[in-house]
Amino acid sequence: MPYLRAATDTPFGAMPYGPTRSVHAYNKDAAAAAIYPGDFVILETDGGIGVSLTGSVNIVGVAAEYSAASTAKTDFLVYNDPDQEFTIQDDGDTTAMTEASVGTNANITVTTGDTTLLRSLHEIDSSTAATTATLALKVIGLHPVEARSFASAAGSPRKWIVKINNHLLAPYQQVGI
């Protein structure tokens, strides 16, 4: 993966880390915006998949493919296992994520994908890394490509391993039997 280089600012969304645990087909209706591989996605009220918003808590997974805006697709693939780990870059804009960030929760910076490379530009919002339970991501650790070189100042994004916090399909999210 050419974008997975240490201490570089090359956002790529979220990509599975370790074994891929589950990929499931969902419906994407024609009203949905473009979705890029690596975008966090939610299950909308109409049952279709859509791009997550910053602050979304019931994320169903990460897009495994691209779909143009205003295009219906009945077999849109999503990495949807609640235990799937992902690699993602932090934005490093105003706050450096450090060793103290491991084990915290963080929000997602949601931006429109790269229309040339057709890949996501979602990142960890480094300034939100905290213990707030409702934030979208759980920070598991620094990605091995970083060789335990934590950022020392803002403007030095790093690659991290995360899980989706408050995943829509997690057993603790289910009501009833």
Side-chain angles (χ1 to χ4, degrees), residues 91-139:
D91 62 10
D93 60 352
T94 59
T95 306
M97 288 182 63
T98 65
E99 194 164 9
S101 301
V102 175
T104 63
N105 298 322
N107 218 343
I108 304 165
T109 299
V110 175
T111 56
T112 302
D114 184 316
T115 57
T116 302
L117 299 175
L118 297 182
R119 75 175 184 214
S120 176
L121 296 177
H122 289 191
E123 297 177 283
I124 298 172
D125 184 351
S126 62
S127 61
T128 65
T131 56
T132 307
T134 58
L135 295 176
L137 303 175
K138 169 68 76 180
V139 179

Side-chain angles (χ1 to χ4, degrees), residues 12-15 34-43 49-54 56 58-64 76 78-79 84-89 106-111 120-125 136-138 160 162-165 167:
F12 53 88
M15 293 294 137
I35 302 176
Y36 297 84
D39 279 355
F40 288 93
V41 293
I42 58 171
L43 195 59
I49 288 294
V51 177
S52 172
L53 303 173
T54 298
S56 292
N58 288 324
I59 298 170
V60 73
V62 171
F76 186 79
V78 174
Y79 301 109
Q84 179 70 56
E85 293 179 345
F86 296 96
T87 300
I88 186 171
Q89 174 181 296
N107 218 343
I108 304 165
T109 299
V110 175
T111 56
S120 176
L121 296 177
H122 289 191
E123 297 177 283
I124 298 172
D125 184 351
L137 303 175
K138 169 68 76 180
W160 295 87
V162 300
K163 282 177 66 174
I164 297 172
N165 198 28
H167 194 290

Side-chain angles (χ1 to χ4, degrees), residues 1 15-24 62 64 77-86:
M1 293 185 236
M15 293 294 137
Y17 176 77
T20 299
R21 300 176 63 90
S22 174
V23 179
H24 185 76
V62 171
L77 298 177
V78 174
Y79 301 109
N80 71 334
D81 190 285
D83 293 321
Q84 179 70 56
E85 293 179 345
F86 296 96

